[in-house]
Amino acid sequence: MGAWFHRRALAGPAAWRRGRRRRPAALTTVTRDISHRAPLPAWPGGDSDGDRDGAAGAGAWAQVSGARSHRGPRADRWLAEYFGQTVEIRGDRCGGVDSGLRCGFGSHHGSTIAYVAQTGERTTPAGFRTATRLLGLAARLRLPVLTLIDTPGAAAAPADEAAGTGTAIAQLFVAMASRQVPITSVVIGEGVSGGALALASPDDLWIARDGYLAVTAPELAASILKLDVHDIPQVATWLRLTRPS
């Protein structure tokens, strides 16, 4: 079950019948035409992470390595290129703050768009609850939403489990599925497990040239299969974590 399968599954049965649609350069998706959705961001200018001598697309493990080897949060560059001005919200209104998740509202060519952006860190329960809060505000204000996905997964330390990681993810899934406004999602780096899927739009999901979406990380899959560390690149191939085409 690789990234290709998840993009199709999240897009719904209609996407299986329709097949691939024309897509912008450096991005791939299966999506329905949604009026009034957030305009799709372009790859940020001056970002050299995606074109390393063409090697990033050479294989599945190279794709995973490319998604991980970036300097600083990709979300900062994407947000800076996309929005002229932003106002952020912080906190889940339960006393928790996730410093690895950015939520707020931004101005794009005169329109206001809500956003949720992961910054390459594991998302905590407070982060998932903050994202759910953002979706509620966007619905009340009838604003489209842009989500930027970049995480190795949900935080799963004992303290995170005690704070309700599973419940927070489930609530965010429900909020995404019952959304009242259009949501556009772009996987800009790693997109691993439920921590990424919880922010993935069911019908407008894109993957940037250095991104990948997977049910689990190759290392964890190798561990589940009781394979050696040297088999991890092969597991990445089995997961079909190749560069979008």
Side-chain angles (χ1 to χ4, degrees):
M1 295 175 63
W4 179 88
F5 174 84
H6 284 288
R7 291 197 300 274
R8 292 276 177 157
L10 287 169
W16 290 83
R17 297 192 297 271
R18 183 173 57 253
R20 288 181 179 271
R21 297 182 56 185
R22 187 177 180 182
R23 56 188 180 273
L27 295 168
T28 185
T29 189
V30 177
T31 179
R32 291 201 298 266
D33 181 22
I34 301 177
S35 56
H36 308 302
R37 68 176 176 87
L40 189 68
W43 187 266
D47 183 7
S48 61
D49 289 340
D51 287 323
R52 290 178 300 280
D53 301 324
W61 185 242
Q63 183 69 20
V64 174
S65 300
R68 294 173 176 175
S69 62
H70 54 87
R71 297 179 297 278
R74 281 191 176 94
D76 290 344
R77 296 195 295 274
W78 281 77
L79 295 175
E81 290 274 342
Y82 189 69
F83 292 117
Q85 184 178 6
T86 61
V87 176
E88 293 200 3
I89 66 171
R90 294 177 62 82
D92 61 358
R93 295 293 177 88
C94 297
V97 176
D98 186 348
S99 60
L101 190 78
R102 297 181 60 182
C103 294
F105 302 89
S107 174
H108 178 77
H109 295 169
S111 299
T112 301
I113 298 172
Y115 66 86
V116 182
Q118 293 172 317
T119 61
E121 301 178 17
R122 293 188 176 275
T123 304
T124 68
F128 293 119
R129 285 191 287 265
T130 304
T132 301
R133 175 189 166 204
L134 186 282
L135 292 180
L137 289 172
R140 288 171 55 189
L141 299 172
R142 302 196 63 78
L143 297 175
V145 180
L146 172 68
T147 67
L148 301 179
I149 299 170
D150 186 8
T151 181
D160 299 307
E161 296 290 350
T165 293
T167 300
I169 293 176
Q171 291 172 342
L172 182 53
F173 267 114
V174 171
M176 292 287 287
S178 60
R179 68 205 184 287
Q180 302 174 22
V181 293
I183 301 176
T184 299
S185 300
V186 183
V187 182
I188 61 175
E190 287 194 276
V192 177
S193 193
L197 293 177
L199 283 173
S201 171
D203 50 17
D204 197 13
L205 175 62
W206 300 78
I207 296 183
R209 60 192 178 198
D210 252 8
Y212 76 92
L213 183 65
V215 65
T216 188
E219 294 88 344
L220 294 177
S223 177
I224 292 171
L225 296 172
K226 301 186 184 303
L227 298 176
D228 190 83
V229 64
H230 302 295
D231 296 317
I232 291 175
Q234 180 60 49
V235 173
T237 301
W238 292 341
L239 289 171
R240 297 186 181 182
L241 305 183
T242 53
R243 186 170 188 169
S245 59

